[in-house]
């Protein structure tokens, strides 16, 4: 069977989406010759406290603004439209149904998430269902990932970027500029809706 499409899936809270997300996605798209990258904002992340996470609709709209100028980037509402916790295994199952057998999915995951991957629902089955692509993140070396997990994922090295959504939220609360950390359209959206204050 000939594959028709290779899709990278970048799941995350995107609270807010920032340039490190976009740079990572673009480098992986080119490096792995993906046809597109699908950004999937998590509606109700099961392993994160809801404190400080803005409404999923805001995070979806910011992601759409952030990717608007890239014809290979798309944003999915798949987890926002689904009830209950946002489990990756359900998302992969739904995407496989949607795109069919002639599509290859690669889940893009940061080293910080991969270190704690065994707390993900049905993590072992998840690794069998699609290719996982691990990207390095500052302060979270891939050497800390359990070896049995690491041998089942593909490593992809990107330039270190010290950009974190946690810091961006702090900057907003303290009145500092976030320009050049997030796309300008996202800066405008955050200001317009008075997010993270």
């Amino acid at each position: 069977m000939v594959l028709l499409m290779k899709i990278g899936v970048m799941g995350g809270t995107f609270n807010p989406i920032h340039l490190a997300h976009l740079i990572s996605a673009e480098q992986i798209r080119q490096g792995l010759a993906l046809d597109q990258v699908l950004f999937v904002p998590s509606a109700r992340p099961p392993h994160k406290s809801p404190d400080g996470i803005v409404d999923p609709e805001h995070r979806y709209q910011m992601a759409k603004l952030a990717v608007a100028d890239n014809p290979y980037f798309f944003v999915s509402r798949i987890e926002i439209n689904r009830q209950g916790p946002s489990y990756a295994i359900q998302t992969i199952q739904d995407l496989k149904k949607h795109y069919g057998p002639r599509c290859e999915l690669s889940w893009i995951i940061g080293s910080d998430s991969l270190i704690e991957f065994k707390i993900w629902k049905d993590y072992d089955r998840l690794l069998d269902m699609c290719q996982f692509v691990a990207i390095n993140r500052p302060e979270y070396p891939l050497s800390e990932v359990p070896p049995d997990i690491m041998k089942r994922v593909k490593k992809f090295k990107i330039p270190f970027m010290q950009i974190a959504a946690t810091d961006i939220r702090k900057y907003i609360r303290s009145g500092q500029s976030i320009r050049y950390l997030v796309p300008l359209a996202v800066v405008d959206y955050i200001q317009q809706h008075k997010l993270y204050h």
Side-chain angles (χ1 to χ4, degrees):
M1 177 170 40
V2 179
L3 280 178
L4 284 186
M5 190 176 277
K6 291 169 71 177
I7 298 178
V9 180
M10 187 173 255
T13 314
F14 302 123
N15 188 41
I17 193 166
H18 52 68
L19 293 184
H21 293 131
L22 301 171
I23 292 166
S24 301
E26 181 66 3
Q27 294 215 338
I28 290 170
R29 182 190 71 76
Q30 284 196 310
L32 300 184
L34 301 176
D35 294 296
Q36 60 178 247
V37 176
L38 192 64
F39 291 78
V40 182
S42 176
R44 288 160 295 280
H47 309 121
K48 288 189 178 179
S49 163
D51 297 346
I53 300 179
V54 302
D55 186 81
E57 191 61 38
H58 282 311
R59 293 183 283 110
Y60 170 77
Q61 293 299 336
M62 288 188 284
K64 274 188 69 174
L65 289 168
V67 307
D69 64 346
N70 189 322
Y72 301 103
F73 286 1
F74 299 89
V75 185
S76 169
R77 297 184 61 90
I78 195 165
E79 292 191 359
I80 294 170
N81 292 345
R82 194 169 67 225
Q83 296 300 306
S86 301
Y87 291 121
I89 191 149
Q90 182 66 56
T91 300
I92 290 296
Q93 287 170 338
D94 291 349
L95 289 173
K96 279 179 169 286
K97 261 186 226 162
H98 178 74
Y99 288 106
R102 294 206 282 177
C103 176
E104 181 181 271
L105 299 175
S106 295
W107 188 284
I108 301 163
I109 185 169
S111 54
D112 54 329
S113 296
L114 205 53
I115 287 168
E116 299 183 332
F117 193 62
K118 289 188 178 184
I119 67 171
W120 287 35
K121 182 177 169 63
D122 298 329
Y123 78 90
D124 194 54
R125 194 153 64 94
L126 194 51
L127 287 168
D128 289 334
M129 289 179 70
C130 75
Q131 170 75 67
F132 272 72
V133 180
I135 53 176
N136 50 303
R137 277 199 63 185
E139 301 169 26
Y140 298 97
L142 286 168
S143 59
E144 290 183 20
V145 176
D148 58 323
I149 299 288
M150 201 63 237
K151 70 182 182 188
R152 295 172 70 184
V153 304
K154 183 184 193 74
K155 283 190 279 190
F156 193 98
K157 191 167 175 55
I158 56 165
F160 277 130
M161 290 163 285
Q162 291 282 13
I163 303 175
T166 309
D167 294 332
I168 291 168
R169 294 193 299 273
K170 280 182 198 163
Y171 296 152
I172 293 167
R173 283 194 296 272
S174 62
Q176 292 176 265
S177 171
I178 58 166
R179 193 166 190 180
Y180 307 120
L181 297 175
V182 302
L184 191 53
V186 175
V187 176
D188 291 342
Y189 186 94
I190 289 169
Q191 290 172 345
Q192 180 187 346
H193 293 276
K194 298 180 172 55
L195 302 180
Y196 307 115
H197 291 287

